[in-house]
Amino acid sequence: MKILTPRLLVALSLLGSGSLLGARASESPIEADGWKGVSPRDEIRPSFEWVAKGGPSARGSLIIRTDDREGLDGHWVKTFPVRGGHDYDFRALRRVTNVPAPRRSVLARVLWRDDMGQPVFHDEPGATSYRDGPLPVAEPEFPSDRATGPAGWTEVSDHYRAPSKATQAIVELHLRWASRAQVEWTEISLAEAEPQPARKVRLATVHFRPSGKKAAAENCRLFAPFIEEAARQKADLVVLGETLTACGTGLSYAEAAEPIPGPSTDYFGDLARQHSLYLVVGLVERDRHLVYNVAVLIGPDGRVAGKYRKAALPRSEIEGGITPGDAYPVFDTRFGKLGMMVCYDGFFPEVARQLSNRGAEIIAFPVWGCNPLLAAARACENHVYLVSSTYTEAKQNWMISGIYDREGQVLAQAKDWGSVAVTEVDLNQRLHWSSLGDFRAEIPRHRPVWPGEAEALKR
């Protein structure tokens, strides 16, 4: 087996994802303020234009236009000096015309380079599930799309730490794969900034299966000591099991169902407020004649912050009269963006993907039982933390009550009935993969566009 040297890894990275400058790129004669128009090939080159008074502040703008041909691809490019090991804020504004999928067709990239224009290595280890050992090459960064203003200008921005060996950053502003389209870029900057503080959150799961009680309220009270224990360990978020008001009571779904807010959320709301934490609780909801399997988010103020209605229903729930949900909400919390899914949802990629598409950084997962490989896949393929609480015994080698990291590896697991597992993660810590870079940032730029995407994301 041939061992790849660091020099060869750098060369492979440059071939796979580096800047096209000097690599058979086609340069436009247009040049403005150090920016050059570039395309991979002459025959797919769009047109480039510099507008001296362009942009909302009339400070100048960079335009790329495509004609009616498919597949045109071009970008503006400029090199900025940087100091390795220092933090930088990238920011730009862009406005698009006739671009069906801006997240994929209109993007910025930042490439860290040394004095020779070669890729450099990150200073911290990357993903460990494969290629554990060598530091990852600094692959292109993909700044995030932020809010769009009333005039159609969208901020594209992010915060980075330049690798210590970097002396320059190549900034690219793209338009690709959209016919009869235009993008206008303006107010582009890469400025040195203060280091970004950590965004730490303590995640907790409870491994407990209620039994021996006859009423929903009795089941709810069984969880109080476990929530108290999680609070003692300074948990910010505690995830409980699925349909916990029905589990072990002998009640049918309809008999266990209640409105939300309702008696059970009131009870758990008191506990959340008492311990100043977020709770995710699996319940059965009644809404008029309909019954739903739900995960409910309760905030530290004791109020219902939101709910998710299970979308993927197994046979037993369909036969029991449960109705599927069709929305994928993501909620802002004091620590970050949280999504929820329930049990059978984990067998399918769509639910977790919809949540991550909407910005979820953590997915809470009340789950009766599931293939743990699929739970790991949901975390890994979306680069999210996943917190599961199950009714399966650990010795069965099936679903676990645990906290998965963004590689799909288990950070902590509660194995004994009545136990709690707590671990701390930093949501601002990027995970770099060998050859992929920050894959979480790449997902919106590289994943395919599917029919109905724009309409679905509005729900």
Side-chain angles (χ1 to χ4, degrees):
M1 178 177 178
K2 186 175 181 179
I3 303 299
L4 297 181
T5 66
R7 185 182 299 275
L8 182 55
L9 284 171
V10 171
L12 289 173
S13 174
L14 182 60
L15 287 172
S17 57
S19 170
L20 292 169
L21 284 179
R24 293 179 292 179
S26 171
E27 293 191 11
S28 163
I30 294 289
E31 182 170 347
D33 192 28
W35 292 95
K36 293 182 180 180
V38 174
S39 178
R41 293 183 288 117
D42 273 337
E43 59 189 330
I44 59 170
R45 188 179 69 189
S47 65
F48 299 88
E49 179 184 357
W50 160 252
V51 180
K53 298 293 185 181
S57 59
R59 285 188 259 171
S61 62
L62 302 161
I63 292 176
I64 309 175
R65 292 191 186 92
T66 59
D67 55 31
D68 58 0
R69 291 174 295 163
E70 297 178 358
L72 298 193
D73 182 354
H75 62 271
W76 290 98
V77 63
K78 181 178 179 178
T79 300
F80 292 76
V82 298
R83 294 197 294 166
H86 288 248
D87 286 57
Y88 287 84
D89 283 333
F90 172 83
R91 182 182 181 276
L93 295 179
R94 57 106 167 125
R95 183 167 64 180
V96 302
T97 303
N98 197 36
V99 179
R103 65 154 178 88
R104 193 169 185 237
S105 295
V106 181
L107 62 138
R109 299 202 315 172
V110 180
L111 300 87
W112 308 109
R113 294 292 185 257
D114 63 15
D115 287 331
M116 303 300 293
Q118 297 299 308
V120 295
F121 290 95
H122 282 292
D123 301 314
E124 297 177 350
T128 60
S129 55
Y130 84 114
R131 293 207 55 78
D132 185 16
L135 294 173
V137 174
E139 305 290 347
E141 312 279 13
F142 291 83
S144 300
D145 292 344
R146 310 295 179 177
T148 299
W153 292 99
T154 299
E155 179 179 324
V156 181
S157 62
D158 235 316
H159 182 98
Y160 300 105
R161 172 160 294 179
S164 60
K165 300 298 184 182
T167 60
Q168 53 186 318
I170 299 171
V171 174
E172 301 174 349
L173 309 171
H174 288 256
L175 172 63
R176 61 192 186 195
W177 312 330
S179 303
R180 298 181 296 279
Q182 174 180 300
V183 62
E184 184 174 4
W185 292 94
T186 189
E187 299 184 22
I188 307 116
S189 62
L190 184 68
E192 195 162 333
E194 292 297 318
Q196 191 176 54
R199 188 155 53 99
K200 294 184 178 180
V201 54
R202 292 183 65 80
L203 307 173
T205 177
V206 171
H207 188 56
F208 178 68
R209 180 171 180 165
S211 63
K213 302 300 180 183
K214 300 298 182 183
E218 293 180 287
N219 266 16
C220 293
R221 286 193 288 271
L222 293 174
F223 286 87
F226 311 125
I227 296 169
E228 182 178 1
E229 172 58 23
R232 189 188 65 78
Q233 298 186 49
K234 303 186 184 307
D236 296 295
L237 170 70
V238 182
V239 179
L240 309 182
E242 180 187 8
T243 58
L244 61 81
T245 49
C247 181
T249 62
L251 298 174
S252 68
Y253 294 126
E255 290 169 337
E258 59 187 73
I260 294 175
S264 295
T265 58
D266 289 347
Y267 175 79
F268 285 113
D270 288 340
L271 294 176
R273 182 171 54 252
Q274 175 185 339
H275 298 297
S276 187
L277 48 72
Y278 288 87
L279 283 174
V280 171
V281 183
L283 298 173
V284 187
E285 178 192 17
R286 174 172 287 281
D287 182 0
R288 299 166 291 118
H289 62 289
L290 301 176
V291 174
Y292 297 95
N293 184 338
V294 295
V296 182
L297 174 64
I298 301 173
D301 60 359
R303 298 181 180 180
V304 172
K307 65 186 177 185
Y308 162 74
R309 291 168 169 171
K310 185 176 180 180
L313 300 184
R315 293 186 302 272
S316 60
E317 293 182 16
I318 296 171
E319 293 165 359
I322 298 286
T323 299
D326 61 0
Y328 307 92
V330 169
F331 303 98
D332 289 314
T333 71
R334 67 188 180 195
F335 52 77
K337 291 186 176 294
L338 176 75
M340 297 175 285
M341 64 182 190
V342 179
C343 198
Y344 201 48
D345 288 331
F347 282 85
F348 307 93
E350 288 84 355
V351 176
R353 177 65 87 199
Q354 289 291 342
L355 296 173
S356 68
N357 287 350
R358 290 162 171 77
E361 300 169 283
I362 300 167
I363 294 178
F365 188 30
V367 48
W368 200 290
C370 183
N371 187 329
L373 294 176
L374 295 177
R378 303 294 84 87
C380 180
E381 68 195 1
N382 295 292
H383 268 224
V384 297
Y385 293 98
L386 186 146
V387 186
S388 60
S389 177
T390 188
Y391 297 143
T392 302
E393 286 190 89
K395 66 182 181 182
Q396 293 180 3
N397 295 320
W398 193 233
M399 194 56 213
I400 68 169
S401 294
I403 297 122
Y404 293 80
D405 69 10
R406 292 175 292 184
E407 292 184 69
Q409 300 184 110
V410 178
L411 294 174
Q413 180 183 352
K415 296 182 179 180
D416 298 325
W417 291 121
S419 63
V420 176
V422 182
T423 195
E424 185 174 86
V425 301
D426 180 0
L427 296 180
N428 276 346
Q429 181 67 46
R430 284 187 166 87
L431 174 65
H432 295 104
W433 290 72
S434 177
S435 79
L436 288 174
D438 179 4
F439 186 59
R440 179 174 174 82
E442 287 193 6
I443 289 173
R445 306 310 189 185
H446 289 172
R447 66 177 172 83
V449 177
W450 51 276
E453 176 178 339
E455 293 76 12
L457 287 175
K458 294 175 183 177
R459 291 170 22 203

